[in-house]
């Protein structure tokens, strides 16, 4: 590559694009390292957008980039990529080099998450300060709105967006380069120990400003509003953000976190978007519409732009997406819990008068201020829309990781070691009450529609029950619910948040009342902020939910009983067919599969199911304070529905216009494996799937032979079987399908198909069975021992078959009556 002094920027970008198709990744990275070190920021500025796109891919998913989500540690290119994209590597040095020169890079608003895009199209700033003072208004109007981001924000936006770009189907989640890079960036910019390393390039122009004005404590203007500055600003009147010197120290940490949260978690439905609109947003929206209607020349906007109806975002997070969110949650808890003991134990009032570093203050508020609301909505969406299969485990563990925030080492600091195994302060439970109660209720409803005979599903129920059964947690939740249900007049008499100390004229006697008022205010603010002022709160330990838990206990007991019957049935079948199955002489009935059985439900899995369900029952009884007598009564109320005889009955149904319709009880019976519909093959017997006891080559060969015979002599067969005499009866015995005694309810289409398949025809498929082949082979061997040749043995077999058919034709009706 030419020397920097002789090469123009346009040639630099052109050469890099040419090298992308001819050179290996190692060579390209080596060239980029030299370019970043040698070229000035003015020339690097032109290649930066292309380089970011070539690494992370395009926002529309057309360009795949380096495929970080598919690149795993076993790949030869893994170490090259990790070294280049390391938080202190060449790529980040390029970001810092450009950051010091006030360069801006545009991102179309259309690529923002649905709620953010809809909010901007409404003419109101989003609730995240990350997007403030960055909107660009081109002449085309709102249709081509862009965000002007600084280099660090631009880099992190593309890195975060890489996760949700729909271009990778089955990535290697926790082993991928992307997953490891997320972990590295979190540890670097949100360190549990020490501080964030400074940028190697000083910002002499002072262009780097804090993403938002920071305050030492969270203030509330009213229930449902996190901060007076949020959700209130008109996009045409953006106030300037004053640079806070204290915030300068951690602006990268805040930017990183806000970008991850906005891109990964800020997704929810249109109904939720409308529900979360605060009075300030509605007022700003009205002012915006009035101002737009009074303008003589309005900017061009597409029809329907700026209305809530334009927000339609089908959000379906992948399992990889959820796993990365779980990594973020776990790291934020570790980051928050690394707060120094003296800062952790100090009161907010005392804390405001002491000097703390910005990073320590950031740790104090990081979870509640930046993550709580959007994570709650994200989890609620996943709980309601995720498939009812074992992949839900990723969502479940993300939820459980959030509601278990502290590490055992902090137990003594937080609660003096008196809280048992659950090392969590009561204030965390109160400030996250809905994370426990509302999501538990949603999980409860989901579990009732899940097959708990499956060991993986049973494990999930056990995991949740185990977490909520930890000592003191149920009491903390119940206390939080009592605080929320305190009458409203308690808050009307509360004092201002800046209380006077006794030395300033305050009273020691009112301290306990102030603490109680603060606790009530904290819980109510949390619930109203996440669910709105008109929320209808259902108590976790109320009558309605307790009845649902009782029903779940019965379902768990049913699933345990079904698992036992599956295990016993499987053992019996295995014992009966262990030897004969190799010869195909075991049971050939494909419809004898026990209800609820699956391929993976081996004996070992069923034992685990038993164990998980039994321990889940114990934990549920502990959580909701049920004694053994109540549990026994609940299980005994199942009655005869668990009997083996009932398992052969149809599920509970009602007769509809188009056939049987399952009731809710019938669905639960099928899910639990208690009852099932009898499923039989009703198509052409000759076209059934080839069985394990059949020779595939012979099945296909005999089908071709019999098809040729049937096509050639089909008319003669019909004439023969239509005769009422003895020959007609004999022909029907050999050429017609034997009618089964079981009468099944069939649709009209199935009945017409059966009539067509019941035409007289020759079927040679039974000869392809290994059982038939073995019997014929034994007969020929026996004939050879008696000095019969192959021809003689064949004639004897045909004669025996004819005589058997003759006897069945003559005496078949008499045998059936007996």
């Amino acid at each position: 590559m030419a020397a920097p002094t002789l090469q123009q920027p346009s040639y630099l970008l052109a050469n890099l694009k040419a090298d992308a198709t001819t050179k290996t990744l190692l060579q390209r990275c080596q060239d980029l390292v030299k370019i970043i070190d040698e070229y000035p920021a003015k020339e690097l500025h032109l290649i930066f957008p292309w380089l970011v796109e070539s690494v992370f891919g395009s926002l529309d998913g057309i360009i795949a980039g380096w495929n970080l989500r598919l690149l795993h540690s076993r790949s030869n290119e893994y170490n090259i990529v990790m070294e280049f994209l390391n938080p202190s590597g060449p790529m980040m040095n390029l970001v810092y080099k450009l950051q010091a020169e006030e360069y801006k890079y545009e991102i179309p608003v259309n690529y923002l998450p649905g709620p953010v895009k809809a909010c901007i199209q409404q003419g109101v700033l989003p609730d995240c300060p990350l997007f403030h003072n960055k909107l660009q208004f081109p002449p085309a109007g709102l249709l081509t709105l862009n965000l002007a981001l600084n280099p660090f924000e631009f880099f992190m936006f593309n890195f975060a967006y890489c996760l949700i770009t729909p271009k990778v189907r089955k990535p290697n989640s926790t082993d991928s380069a992307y997953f490891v890079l997320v972990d590295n960036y979190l540890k670097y910019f949100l360190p549990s120990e020490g501080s964030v390393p400074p940028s190697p390039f000083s910002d002499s122009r002072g262009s780097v400003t804090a993403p938002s004005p920071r305050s030492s404590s969270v203030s509330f203007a009213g229930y449902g509003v996190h901060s007076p500055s949020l959700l209130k600003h008109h996009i045409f009147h953006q106030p300037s953000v004053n640079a806070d010197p204290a915030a300068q120290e951690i602006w990268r940490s805040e930017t990183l976190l806000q970008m991850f949260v906005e891109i990964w978690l800020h997704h929810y439905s249109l109904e939720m978007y409308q529900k979360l609109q605060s009075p300030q947003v509605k007022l700003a929206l009205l002012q915006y519409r009035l101002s737009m209607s009074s303008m003589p020349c309005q900017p061009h906007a597409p029809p329907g732009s700026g209305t809530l109806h334009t927000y339609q975002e089908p959000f379906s997070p992948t399992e990889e997406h959820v796993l990365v969110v779980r990594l973020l949650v776990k790291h934020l808890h570790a980051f928050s819990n690394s707060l120094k003991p003296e800062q952790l134990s100090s009161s907010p009032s005392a804390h405001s008068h002491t000097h703390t570093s910005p990073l320590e203050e950031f740790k104090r508020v990081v979870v509640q201020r930046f993550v709580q609301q959007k994570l709650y909505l994200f989890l609620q969406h996943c709980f309601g829309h995720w498939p009812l299969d074992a992949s839900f485990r990723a969502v479940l563990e993300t939820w459980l990781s959030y509601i278990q925030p502290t590490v055992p080492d902090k137990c003594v600091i937080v609660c003096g070691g008196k809280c048992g195994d659950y090392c969590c302060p009561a204030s965390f439970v109160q400030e996250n009450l809905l994370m426990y109660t509302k999501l538990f209720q949603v999980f409860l409803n989901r579990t009732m529609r899940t097959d708990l005979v499956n060991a993986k599903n049973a494990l999930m129920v056990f995991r949740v029950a185990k977490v909520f059964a930890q000592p003191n947690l149920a009491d903390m939740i119940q206390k939080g619910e009592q605080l929320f249900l305190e009458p409203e007049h308690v808050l009307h008499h509360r004092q201002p948040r800046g209380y006077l100390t006794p030395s300033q004229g305050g009273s020691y006697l009112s301290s306990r009342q102030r603490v109680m008022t603060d606790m009530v205010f904290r819980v109510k603010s949390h619930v109203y902020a996440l669910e709105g002022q008109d929320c209808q709160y259902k108590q976790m330990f109320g009558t309605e939910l307790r009845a649902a838990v009782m029903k779940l206990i019965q379902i768990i007991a049913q699933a345990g009983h079904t698992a036992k019957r599956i295990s016993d049935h499987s053992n019996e079948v295995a014992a009966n067919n262990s030897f004969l199955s190799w010869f195909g002489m075991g049971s050939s009935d494909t419809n004898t599969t026990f209800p609820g059985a699956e391929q993976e439900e081996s004996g070992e899995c069923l034992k685990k199911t038993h164990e998980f369900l039994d321990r889940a029952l114990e934990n549920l009884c502990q959580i909701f304070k049920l004694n053994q007598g109540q549990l026994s009564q609940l299980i005994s109320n199942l009655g005869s529905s668990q009997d083996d005889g009932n398992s052969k009955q149809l599920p509970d149904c009602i007769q509809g216009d188009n056939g049987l319709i399952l009731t809710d009880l019938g669905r639960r019976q099928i899910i639990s494996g208690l009852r099932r519909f009898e499923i039989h093959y009703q198509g052409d017997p000759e076209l059934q799937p080839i069985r394990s006891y059949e020779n595939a080559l012979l099945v296909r060969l005999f089908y071709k032979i019999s098809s040729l015979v049937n096509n050639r002599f089909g008319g003669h067969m019909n004439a023969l079987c239509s005769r009422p005499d003895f020959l007609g009866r004999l022909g029907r015995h050999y050429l017609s399908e034997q009618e089964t005694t079981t009468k099944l309810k069939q649709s009209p289409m199935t009945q017409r198909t059966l009539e067509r398949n019941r035409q007289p025809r020759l079927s040679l498929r039974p000869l392809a069975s290994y059982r038939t082949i073995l019997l014929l082979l034994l007969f020929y061997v026996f004939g050879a021992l008696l000095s019969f040749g192959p021809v003689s043995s064949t004639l004897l077999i045909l004669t025996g078959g004819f005589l058997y058919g003759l006897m069945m034709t003559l005496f078949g009706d008499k045998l059936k009556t007996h």
Side-chain angles (χ1 to χ4, degrees), residues 400-610:
L400 297 181
S401 296
Y402 182 84
I403 64 176
Q404 299 180 93
T406 53
V407 293
D409 294 341
K410 295 294 181 183
C411 183
V412 177
I413 298 173
V414 174
C415 57
K418 298 179 181 179
C419 68
D421 296 333
Y422 192 74
C423 304
C424 175
S427 60
F428 182 86
V429 178
Q430 295 166 8
E431 293 172 355
N432 294 273
L433 184 64
L434 291 176
M435 283 286 193
Y436 293 89
T437 59
K438 181 67 177 291
L439 293 185
F440 180 83
Q441 295 171 27
V442 179
F443 175 76
L444 192 66
N445 295 332
R446 178 187 175 87
T447 304
M448 291 181 180
R449 297 177 285 119
T450 304
D451 177 18
L452 298 184
V453 179
N454 186 300
K456 295 178 180 178
N457 294 333
L459 173 60
M460 288 190 280
V461 178
F462 161 69
R463 288 280 295 121
V464 174
K466 179 182 178 182
V467 169
F468 278 84
Q470 294 181 79
N472 290 335
L473 178 56
D475 295 335
M476 291 181 185
I477 295 175
Q478 202 161 8
K479 176 64 175 177
E481 291 186 324
Q482 293 173 358
L483 292 172
F484 175 72
L485 297 175
E486 283 286 336
E488 290 293 333
H489 65 78
V490 173
L491 292 180
H492 297 331
H493 299 285
R494 68 182 182 89
Q495 300 177 1
R497 294 187 63 81
Y499 300 115
L500 295 178
T501 63
S503 62
Q504 297 170 327
S507 173
Y508 285 106
L509 299 178
S510 61
S511 60
R512 183 172 183 178
Q513 181 181 0
R514 292 198 303 267
V515 172
M516 183 66 179
T517 302
D518 277 349
M519 293 167 61
V520 173
F521 182 77
R522 182 189 300 124
V523 177
K524 288 180 179 288
S525 299
H526 157 71
V527 175
Y528 291 144
L530 268 60
E531 287 290 333
Q533 292 277 6
D534 58 345
C535 71
Q536 300 294 326
Y537 183 79
K538 293 182 180 180
Q539 298 184 60
M540 180 172 171
F541 298 96
T543 305
E544 183 178 350
L545 188 64
R546 190 177 181 87
V549 171
M550 300 295 187
K551 186 180 295 184
L552 175 62
I553 290 177
Q554 289 184 322
I555 293 175
I556 291 176
Q558 289 175 348
H561 185 77
T562 303
K564 184 178 184 303
R565 290 192 285 118
I566 293 175
S567 179
D568 295 343
H569 180 81
S570 300
N571 293 336
E572 293 176 3
V573 172
N576 294 336
N577 298 339
S578 58
F579 176 74
L580 295 179
S581 61
W582 188 86
F583 296 99
M585 299 184 67
S587 175
S588 62
D589 186 5
T590 60
N591 297 313
T592 57
T593 304
F594 204 77
E598 294 186 4
Q599 291 287 340
E600 61 182 12
E601 294 295 345
S602 61
E604 196 65 29
C605 288
L606 292 171
K607 290 180 182 179
K608 292 181 179 179
T609 300
H610 260 298

Side-chain angles (χ1 to χ4, degrees), residues 149-162:
L149 305 179
N150 65 40
F152 186 81
E153 293 168 341
F154 182 79
F155 175 84
M156 286 302 169
F157 181 92
N158 282 270
F159 176 70
Y161 201 88
C162 180

Side-chain angles (χ1 to χ4, degrees), residues 631-663:
L631 178 62
S632 302
Q633 183 178 2
L634 281 174
I635 296 177
S636 63
N637 288 340
L638 297 177
S640 60
S641 63
Q642 292 183 352
D643 295 341
D644 291 337
N646 263 1
S647 64
K648 299 179 182 179
Q649 298 178 5
L650 291 179
D652 189 65
C653 303
I654 58 175
Q655 185 67 42
D657 296 337
N658 298 322
L660 298 177
I661 301 175
L662 276 174
T663 64

Side-chain angles (χ1 to χ4, degrees), residues 1-21:
M1 202 168 276
T5 56
L6 300 177
Q7 196 168 21
Q8 299 296 326
S10 57
Y11 292 113
L12 175 61
L13 181 59
N15 287 341
L16 288 176
K17 290 181 178 180
D19 292 343
T21 60

